[in-house]
């Protein structure tokens, strides 16, 4: 049975906040850039889960109003995707899960990778996360 997760597209000045996932082999997309978020716990709605996960992972409280973008599923994971503006500077966030974080440009997302100062190298963007962001950028331009 597929796991349900809630993830957030957080954007600021045409850039998108992403997490460089820990480089440990037993997680999905180890060492890849991905969107912040996580598992929906029993009794939670996706909206409650995404608020909780973002607060836990980067100490950021989502704006009162944020919107659902869509749902992306495969055999292993059903991703409930939300979007909201990032209303604080990057240095005001506290990364408590993951290897690094950064504001990626549309060019980074299109090419599928981005340099991480913490990793000291270019790291790939998770395929499904790249597809979600490409869909989101296309949707913004229509």
């Amino acid at each position: 049975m597929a796991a349900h997760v809630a993830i957030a597209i957080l954007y600021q000045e045409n850039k998108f906040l992403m997490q460089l996932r820990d480089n440990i082999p037993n997680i999905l997309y180890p060492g890849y850039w991905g969107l912040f978020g996580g598992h929906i716990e029993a009794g939670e709605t996706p909206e409650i889960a995404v608020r909780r996960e973002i607060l836990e992972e980067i100490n950021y409280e989502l704006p009162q109003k944020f919107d659902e973008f869509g749902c992306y599923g495969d055999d292993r994971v059903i991703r409930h995707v939300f979007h909201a503006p990032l209303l604080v500077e990057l240095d005001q966030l506290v990364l408590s899960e993951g290897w690094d974080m950064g504001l990626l440009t549309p060019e980074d997302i299109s090419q599928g990778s981005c340099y991480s100062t913490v990793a000291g190298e270019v790291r790939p963007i998770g395929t499904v996360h790249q597809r979600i962001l490409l869909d989101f950028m296309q949707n913004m331009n229509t």
Side-chain angles (χ1 to χ4, degrees):
M1 191 165 106
H4 283 259
V5 299
I7 56 178
I9 299 168
L10 298 172
Y11 49 87
Q12 182 177 84
E13 296 173 10
N14 202 31
K15 293 182 181 173
F16 301 90
L17 183 67
M18 297 196 82
Q19 170 197 53
L20 184 58
R21 295 175 57 79
D22 289 314
N23 200 15
I24 50 178
N26 63 337
I27 63 171
L28 276 179
Y29 294 113
Y32 282 66
W33 290 102
L35 296 167
F36 283 96
H39 286 272
I40 299 171
E41 294 179 359
E44 279 185 327
T45 63
E47 293 81 4
I48 290 170
V50 76
R51 275 194 184 282
R52 176 185 51 74
E53 286 285 345
I54 299 303
L55 193 58
E56 287 174 5
E57 292 182 355
I58 55 174
N59 199 35
Y60 179 63
E61 189 143 341
L62 285 175
Q64 193 63 39
K65 184 182 176 331
F66 62 93
D67 296 304
E68 188 168 0
F69 176 64
C71 196
Y72 289 73
D74 59 36
D75 294 345
R76 295 192 294 185
V77 183
I78 308 294
R79 294 169 182 86
H80 301 265
V81 185
F82 298 89
H83 66 94
L86 180 63
L87 302 172
V88 300
E89 295 302 314
L90 198 58
D91 64 6
Q92 292 181 265
L93 302 174
V94 179
L95 182 66
S96 57
E97 189 174 306
W99 194 6
D100 195 4
M101 67 177 163
L103 287 166
L104 278 64
T105 66
E107 294 73 31
D108 294 329
I109 292 156
S110 292
Q111 73 186 17
S113 61
C114 183
Y115 182 79
S116 162
T117 52
V118 173
E121 62 186 4
V122 172
R123 302 298 304 184
I125 297 172
T127 312
V128 70
H129 296 264
Q130 181 188 28
R131 189 173 83 239
I132 290 167
L133 284 167
L134 289 171
D135 289 352
F136 184 76
M137 289 187 300
Q138 184 178 8
N139 194 299
M140 284 175 45
N141 295 328
T142 55

